[in-house]
């Protein structure tokens, strides 16, 4: 019987990503660190060579290499045109005069060398700084491109990509990582928008069917009073559920940046909101005050109207029982448009202000009634303001009530 061959073992699992093989010599990878090292090292070497060459030429010029000596011998006598040499002096006096002459020439040469070297250093420094600035801009230009693309993505949409070309260094790795992150964000936002659209249909349809069935049963004149009262209660509950669904869907949509912007006048938006809330205000005995000045911003008119309507409705609903008022004003300030909604009402502690903007959060006492909303009005207003690049600030009003200030960039 022939021997059984041993089983073939599987090859070892690779420890690196086959899609991105590692280079054979990682230390030779043209990283930004190596490029900067070579750049500034080369600049230093070139500057040193230039400086040494200039110093050598200046020294040669100062020492008068190849020129005549400062003194010469004529007919057995030593004479000089630049130094004083005594003719009928002793050997010691003559040597002292020669030494003085030579030292004087050396001092002049060194002074000249120092002055010209300083001028050469200043010139080389200017050239080095200009060259370094240009090279640093060239090396960091991909980072500027990444920054510009990031700003465009934040201000418009998530479909833009950097797609940086060039050497495989840290900056390209950063750009590729940023592109991958944008891909994931775009998929997440697309999935969110798809979910909001599906939820909008799936949640509204059964509520609309329930409302229709309840209204049909309530229209029956032969229905007993108990059934009529139960139908009205269920209809009010269904209406509240519809408001809750609408608020949640609007809150989900308003969390995204506004891509399509058009000129919108806050004064017109606030006027429409006041007109819609006027009937409820008259029923509660609340006086409406308007002081509207033109304030045009770039944004979505429907969402901006929802901000004004939510603030005005909250100001009307959470007011005092008698002699209450709501003041709505708009104004245009340098660089921003402001919508202010102030009202009388119960005293709101300063430490409760931030809680009012949280979903389903109300004040512990006055804001617990189920007939005053679903607790999403201020959350939606803050979300819409952020989507427009603005902010909303709430401040307690002296004597009770709130002052809501919405600031939007123009």
């Amino acid at each position: 019987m022939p021997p059984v061959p041993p089983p073939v073992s599987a090859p070892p699992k690779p420890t690196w990503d086959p899609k991105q093989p590692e280079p054979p010599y990682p230390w030779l990878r043209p990283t930004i660190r190596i490029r900067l090292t070579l750049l500034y090292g080369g600049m230093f070497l070139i500057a040193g060579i230039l400086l040494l060459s200039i110093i050598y030429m200046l020294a040669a010029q100062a020492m008068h290499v190849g020129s005549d000596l400062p003194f010469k011998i004529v007919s057995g006598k030593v004479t000089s045109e630049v130094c004083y040499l005594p003719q009928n002096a002793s050997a010691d006096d003559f040597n002292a005069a020669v030494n003085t002459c030579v030292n004087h020439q050396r001092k002049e040469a060194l002074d000249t060398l120092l002055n010209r070297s300083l001028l050469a250093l200043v010139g080389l420094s200017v050239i080095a700084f200009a060259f370094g600035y240009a090279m640093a801009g060239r090396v960091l230009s991909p980072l500027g491109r990444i920054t510009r693309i990031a700003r465009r993505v934040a201000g418009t949409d998530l479909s833009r990509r950097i797609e940086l070309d060039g050497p495989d260094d840290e900056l390209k790795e950063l750009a590729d990582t940023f592109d991958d992150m944008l891909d994931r964000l775009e998929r997440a936002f697309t999935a969110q928008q798809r979910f909001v659209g599906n939820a909008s249909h799936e949640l509204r349809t059964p509520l609309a069917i329930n409302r229709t069935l309840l209204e049909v049963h309530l229209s029956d004149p032969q229905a007993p009073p108990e059934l009529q009262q139960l139908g009205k209660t269920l209809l009010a509950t269904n209406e509240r559920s519809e408001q809750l669904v609408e608020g949640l869907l609007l809150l989900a949509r308003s969390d995204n940046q506004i891509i399509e912007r058009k000129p919108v006048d806050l004064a017109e938006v606030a006027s429409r909101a006041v007109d819609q809330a006027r009937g409820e205000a008259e029923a509660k005995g609340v006086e409406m005050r308007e002081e509207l000045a033109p304030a045009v911003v770039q944004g979505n008119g429907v969402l901006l109207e929802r901000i004004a309507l939510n603030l005005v409705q909250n100001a009307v609903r959470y007011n005092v029982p008698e002699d209450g008022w709501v003041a709505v004003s708009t104004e245009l300030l340098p660089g921003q448009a402001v919508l202010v909604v102030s009202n009388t009402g119960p005293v709101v502690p300063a430490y409760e202000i931030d809680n009012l903007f949280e979903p389903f959060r109300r004040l512990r006492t006055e804001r617990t009634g189920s007939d005053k909303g679903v607790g999403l009005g201020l959350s939606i207003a803050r979300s819409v303001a952020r989507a427009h690049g603005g902010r909303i600030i709430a401040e307690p009003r002296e004597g009770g009530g709130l002052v809501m200030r919405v600031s939007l960039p123009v």
Side-chain angles (χ1 to χ4, degrees):
M1 183 176 181
V4 179
V8 180
S9 59
K13 186 177 180 180
T15 57
W16 66 89
D17 187 1
K19 298 180 181 180
Q20 296 181 352
E22 296 183 356
Y25 302 100
W27 56 275
L28 290 179
R29 180 189 175 193
T31 61
I32 191 67
R33 182 175 184 179
I34 294 178
R35 292 168 60 192
L36 287 176
T37 301
L38 295 177
L39 174 63
Y40 290 110
M43 289 177 57
F44 179 79
L45 179 61
I46 295 174
I49 293 174
L50 290 177
L51 186 60
L52 288 178
S53 301
I54 292 175
I55 291 178
Y56 178 81
M57 290 187 296
L58 292 177
Q61 184 180 4
M63 298 300 295
H64 301 285
V65 175
S67 62
D68 297 333
L69 295 174
F71 49 84
K72 58 183 178 178
I73 300 176
V74 180
S75 300
K77 294 181 180 181
V78 181
T79 60
S80 175
E81 296 180 356
V82 296
C83 300
Y84 169 72
L85 298 178
Q87 299 299 324
N88 298 322
S90 62
D92 293 337
D93 294 337
F94 184 81
N95 291 332
V98 171
N99 290 332
T100 302
C101 178
V102 172
N103 290 332
H104 177 72
Q105 294 297 317
R106 288 177 178 174
K107 184 177 182 304
E108 287 187 353
L110 290 176
D111 292 341
T112 303
L113 177 63
L114 178 60
N115 295 332
R116 296 185 178 180
S117 297
L118 290 177
L119 293 176
L121 180 61
V122 172
L124 284 177
S125 299
V126 173
I127 296 175
F129 278 111
F131 186 74
Y133 183 81
M135 289 297 101
R138 182 178 178 84
V139 173
L140 297 179
S141 59
L143 188 59
R145 179 181 175 182
I146 295 173
T147 304
R148 290 190 298 270
I149 294 297
R151 289 176 178 174
R152 292 176 184 175
V153 168
T156 55
D157 58 353
L158 295 173
S159 61
R160 295 180 178 270
R161 297 295 181 269
I162 299 175
E163 297 178 353
L164 187 65
D165 298 329
D168 186 17
D169 54 10
E170 290 88 346
L171 294 179
K172 190 175 188 304
E173 184 177 353
L174 174 63
D176 294 341
T177 304
F178 191 77
D179 287 342
D180 293 339
M181 181 188 66
L182 290 179
D183 289 335
R184 292 193 295 270
L185 287 177
E186 186 178 14
R187 289 194 297 268
F189 278 111
T190 303
Q192 181 188 17
Q193 293 174 357
R194 189 182 302 111
F195 169 78
V196 169
N198 295 335
S200 175
H201 176 74
E202 295 296 335
L203 295 177
R204 287 173 179 171
T205 301
L207 292 176
I209 294 175
N210 290 340
R211 184 180 68 252
T212 302
L213 294 176
L214 290 173
E215 290 175 350
V216 170
H217 285 289
L218 288 176
S219 64
D220 186 5
Q222 299 180 357
E226 295 82 2
L227 186 59
Q228 290 279 349
Q229 182 63 32
L230 177 61
K232 292 180 180 179
T233 303
L234 292 177
L235 188 61
T237 303
N238 191 83
E239 182 180 359
R240 177 174 171 79
S241 299
E242 288 181 343
Q243 294 177 0
L244 177 60
V245 170
E246 290 289 340
L248 288 174
L249 294 176
L250 180 60
L251 182 62
R253 288 196 301 267
S254 61
D255 280 337
N256 297 330
Q257 289 286 336
I258 306 300
I259 299 176
E260 296 182 359
R261 297 173 180 260
K262 298 180 180 180
V264 180
D265 190 355
L266 286 185
E268 182 181 357
V269 168
S271 178
R272 291 182 180 178
V274 170
D275 292 340
Q276 295 181 47
R278 194 178 299 277
E280 185 177 359
E282 292 177 354
K284 292 181 176 292
V286 177
E287 178 186 0
M288 302 295 293
R289 304 174 182 176
E290 300 178 51
E291 187 177 351
L292 306 177
V296 179
V297 299
Q298 297 292 328
N300 185 291
V302 176
L303 294 180
L304 292 177
E305 185 176 344
R306 180 54 66 97
I307 289 183
L309 182 59
N310 287 355
L311 295 182
V312 173
Q313 286 180 344
N314 281 349
V316 171
R317 293 170 182 173
Y318 304 104
N319 215 303
V320 293
E322 298 179 355
D323 299 329
W325 52 265
V326 175
V328 182
S329 64
T330 58
E331 60 179 337
L332 187 62
L333 299 178
Q336 63 180 352
V338 180
L339 167 66
V340 180
V341 179
S342 57
N343 67 291
T344 55
V347 177
V348 180
Y351 57 84
E352 291 282 358
I353 294 296
D354 293 337
N355 295 333
L356 300 179
F357 291 95
E358 298 297 329
F360 309 109
R361 295 290 296 273
R362 303 182 180 89
L363 204 61
R364 289 191 298 268
T365 54
E366 289 79 2
R367 292 180 181 255
T368 56
S370 61
D371 59 336
K372 295 183 179 181
V374 296
L376 291 174
L378 295 182
S379 300
I380 293 174
R382 183 180 63 176
S383 180
V384 173
R386 287 179 176 176
H388 284 79
R391 61 176 181 170
I392 178 171
I393 300 176
E395 298 177 353
R397 181 181 166 274
E398 185 178 358
L402 291 173
V403 177
M404 294 288 184
R405 182 181 299 271
V406 181
S407 301
L408 300 174
V410 297

